[in-house]
Amino acid sequence: MGVQVTTAPDLPADVLLAVNDDRRNAVLRGLEVLETGDDHDFDRVTELAASLMGTSAAFISLLDTERLWFRAGFGVGKQEIEEVQIPVGLSFCAHAVAAGDTVLVVPDAAADPRFTGNPLVAGKRLRFYVGAPIIVSGQPIGTLCAIDCVPRSRPDDTRLSQLQALAALAASLFKLKEDNHAGLAARAALAHEQERRVVAVEAASLASWAWDLRTDTIECDPLFAELLDLPASSRLTARHIFRAIDRRDVKKAEAEFRTALASGEDYVGEYRVAGAHPTRWVAARGRVIERDGHGRPTLVFGVNFCITERKAAEERQRLLLRELNHRVKNTLATVQALATQTVRHSREPREFLEAFGSRLRALGLAHGLLSDHEWRGIALSELIRLEVLPFDDAESPRIRVSGEHLLLSPDQALGLGLILHELASNALQHGALASPDGVVDLTWKIEGHRRARKLVMVWLESGGPPVEPPRRHGFGSILIRRSLAKVISSEVNHEFLPSGVRAEISMPLAMPG
């Protein structure tokens, strides 16, 4: 066959219309038969067709809008079958497809005006042709054809009917292979989906189970028994399950399960595992899958999963909220005291606004830092960074900070933050930081051991203007001396030495440093 043709004659309008039919081409594409791999079933059909017609060759051809190719053949080499593609304008099969459900017979193509100019005929490769359309889902997708290189007489009607029967057999083979391919694809997709679900269940640490209520048998994966601290098993009973639930939660769990079965709603429960140390919380979700003829549930599917971390986080959140409520009340009381005392020691409104606003910001900074750390305490160095260092010059630092790492409790942080703010503010206005040559040394150390440990912090100014003790103590001095009143056994020694202000702060450590 191997003819290469670059041009092809125009097809008659009726043939072209049949070839370009969208429904026909959609069925052809849906069969996914563009590949021409070995298929002995189709090969056997072409062998029968050649034998029936007494020809040298026979083919199962497929036809799209531009070309014809062979799915199987008899009488030629396999390679030639796979390589040959004929332009649709040269295809005898295009005329057979347009012929409907009848068989196209061409006894001598050289004498047929439709094919006399066809290069296949002129090359003496094709003179006799008989083709029956292969109809799949009501559409002719190609033909079962028998050909010869010499003219032959027209076959009798019996043999033409038998060729049509073979074409119908080929159509059935196409449909069966399509269904089988679809089934394999569906099974592969199902297997992939099952694998995906298994991976998802394992990744989420979900323990799945199926509860047959008629036999009280629970088929489960190994993780289910492990979650409930039960011996490894893939088959349990309701008694095993409810015995594994903490006695504080078992009645509620039983009631929720019975209610779900009676109402038809999904079962949702949470409970602690009996005897688990530390405490383990497990959540359960279940759904009735089958019911008997009376509507009674017979099969429940479900999953269990560990929620211990979530429960711990919820408990931390509750504790944090309680702590926050407590701190808010204390803060409001502190703000009220700050406002009252600042008004009392201010000579004019502007002085009050500046002093009160500054102290309120200092309190807010400490609160913000504590909130970021969920009120579990903060590092002393972080507190100093917020409350003291903003008063320094970043390009030419004059506040020298030195001390070991230390964590402060919330009360310590709030009280010490106000003290440091007042000391830094006073130093900037009247003390060492008011002079270009002034410096502040802020140092601290931990003294004592174990429960007797205490923080000793020293604020020492030098190089500033001469210092004289004030004739009257303002509210700032009162804040410095009293801000740690809530921290029992704390002391603040605030001195106005000629060389500079010195403050020594001592307080017991409620948290490990």
Side-chain angles (χ1 to χ4, degrees):
M1 298 289 293
V3 175
Q4 300 296 324
V5 181
T6 56
T7 59
D10 293 334
L11 291 171
D14 62 326
V15 175
L16 190 62
L17 184 64
V19 168
N20 292 329
D21 187 277
D22 290 339
R23 295 168 298 175
R24 189 191 73 81
N25 284 285
V27 172
L28 179 64
R29 289 192 298 270
L31 292 177
E32 299 181 359
V33 292
L34 293 180
E35 315 84 26
T36 57
D38 292 343
D39 192 313
H40 297 299
D41 293 329
F42 288 126
D43 291 341
R44 180 62 178 157
V45 171
T46 58
E47 183 181 355
L48 290 173
S51 175
L52 176 67
M53 293 292 126
T55 58
S56 60
F59 300 96
I60 289 178
S61 69
L62 298 171
L63 187 75
D64 63 19
T65 57
E66 297 180 354
R67 63 194 174 114
L68 173 140
W69 73 99
F70 299 126
R71 182 65 183 83
F74 172 78
V76 294
K78 191 67 177 179
Q79 183 177 358
E80 188 174 2
I81 292 175
E82 294 178 351
E83 291 180 353
V84 169
Q85 293 186 11
I86 299 174
V88 69
L90 300 182
S91 169
F92 282 52
C93 294
H95 295 264
V97 163
D101 58 356
T102 60
V103 178
L104 174 67
V105 180
V106 182
D108 184 357
D112 192 316
R114 293 173 295 179
F115 306 112
T116 51
N118 193 307
L120 298 176
V121 177
K124 298 183 179 180
R125 290 179 173 82
L126 200 163
R127 294 289 296 276
F128 173 78
Y129 174 93
V130 56
I134 297 174
I135 300 175
V136 176
S137 300
Q139 300 297 327
I141 62 169
T143 68
L144 172 61
C145 61
I147 65 171
D148 216 331
C149 59
V150 295
R152 300 178 67 89
S153 60
R154 179 183 177 88
D156 58 52
D157 291 342
T158 299
R159 283 191 295 167
L160 292 179
S161 296
Q162 291 172 338
L163 183 67
Q164 284 182 307
L166 286 176
L169 176 60
S172 298
L173 285 174
F174 274 117
K175 192 62 179 173
L176 285 172
K177 291 176 185 293
E178 177 194 25
D179 292 343
N180 182 59
H181 177 76
L184 291 174
R187 286 193 291 273
L190 179 60
H192 291 160
E193 176 67 12
Q194 289 173 337
E195 290 174 4
R196 186 186 67 80
R197 289 181 181 275
V198 168
V199 171
V201 165
E202 291 178 350
S205 296
L206 296 176
S208 60
W209 47 266
W211 192 339
D212 188 333
L213 298 177
R214 293 166 296 188
T215 61
D216 190 27
T217 302
I218 300 172
E219 301 286 346
C220 59
D221 56 42
L223 180 59
F224 186 54
E226 182 181 332
L227 278 177
L228 299 178
D229 269 358
L230 294 172
S233 177
S234 60
R235 179 171 293 185
L236 300 170
T237 66
R239 183 176 60 182
H240 292 122
I241 305 305
F242 289 113
R243 281 185 177 179
I245 299 175
D246 190 287
R247 57 185 179 81
R248 293 170 290 181
D249 304 320
V250 66
K251 289 185 178 180
K252 180 182 178 184
E254 289 179 342
E256 288 173 340
F257 188 72
R258 291 195 186 97
T259 299
L261 293 181
S263 66
E265 300 291 333
D266 286 358
Y267 165 62
V268 178
E270 295 178 354
Y271 46 79
R272 284 161 286 197
V273 176
H277 298 288
T279 300
R280 179 186 303 155
W281 279 89
V282 173
R285 302 290 185 272
R287 176 175 297 174
V288 175
I289 300 300
E290 292 180 1
R291 296 180 180 273
D292 62 17
H294 301 286
R296 292 186 294 260
T298 58
L299 184 62
V300 181
F301 282 1
V303 294
N304 278 40
F305 49 97
C306 183
I307 57 170
T308 303
E309 290 187 9
R310 193 196 83 194
K311 285 292 186 178
E314 290 174 355
E315 181 61 24
R316 288 195 299 271
Q317 188 73 11
R318 283 192 292 270
L319 291 174
L320 180 60
L321 288 174
R322 284 199 293 268
E323 179 70 14
L324 186 59
N325 288 334
H326 171 70
R327 295 296 167 189
V328 166
K329 291 178 182 178
N330 287 346
T331 300
L332 290 175
T334 302
V335 170
Q336 186 178 13
L338 282 174
T340 301
Q341 294 298 329
T342 305
V343 167
R344 183 178 298 172
H345 292 83
S346 299
R347 290 183 292 271
E348 58 182 31
R350 182 176 180 180
E351 182 182 348
F352 162 77
L353 289 174
E354 291 179 355
F356 180 66
S358 177
R359 288 160 183 160
L360 201 58
R361 281 192 295 275
L363 187 65
L365 287 173
H367 262 269
L369 194 56
L370 284 167
S371 179
D372 290 342
H373 290 75
E374 296 185 351
W375 291 86
R376 290 195 295 263
I378 58 176
L380 176 54
S381 58
E382 289 189 78
L383 184 67
I384 291 172
R385 178 178 57 81
L386 283 177
E387 301 288 10
V388 176
L389 296 185
F391 290 90
D392 200 2
D393 185 348
E395 296 182 359
S396 180
R398 290 188 293 147
I399 300 178
R400 300 180 297 214
V401 179
S402 176
E404 58 188 293
H405 175 71
L406 176 66
L407 288 178
L408 300 173
S409 70
D411 283 335
Q412 291 170 339
L414 291 175
L416 190 56
L418 285 173
I419 292 174
L420 293 174
H421 171 81
E422 289 297 328
L423 289 171
S425 179
N426 291 339
L428 184 63
Q429 296 180 49
H430 314 293
L433 299 182
S435 170
D437 299 323
V439 295
V440 174
D441 287 291
L442 178 58
T443 61
W444 67 90
K445 61 183 178 180
I446 299 174
E447 296 182 352
H449 300 281
R450 296 186 179 181
R451 295 188 179 183
R453 293 188 324 145
K454 65 177 181 178
L455 167 69
V456 178
M457 173 180 281
V458 177
W459 173 283
L460 182 61
E461 301 179 22
S462 61
V467 176
E468 295 182 359
R471 296 178 181 178
R472 56 182 289 273
H473 290 289
F475 181 52
S477 297
I478 295 173
L479 271 181
I480 292 172
R481 294 196 304 271
R482 298 182 182 178
S483 288
L484 286 172
K486 288 184 180 180
V487 182
I488 301 173
S489 300
S490 63
E491 296 180 6
V492 179
N493 185 13
H494 190 203
E495 300 178 275
F496 295 89
L497 304 177
S499 58
V501 170
R502 181 182 185 278
E504 182 176 309
I505 303 162
S506 174
M507 64 179 179
L509 295 175
M511 299 181 66

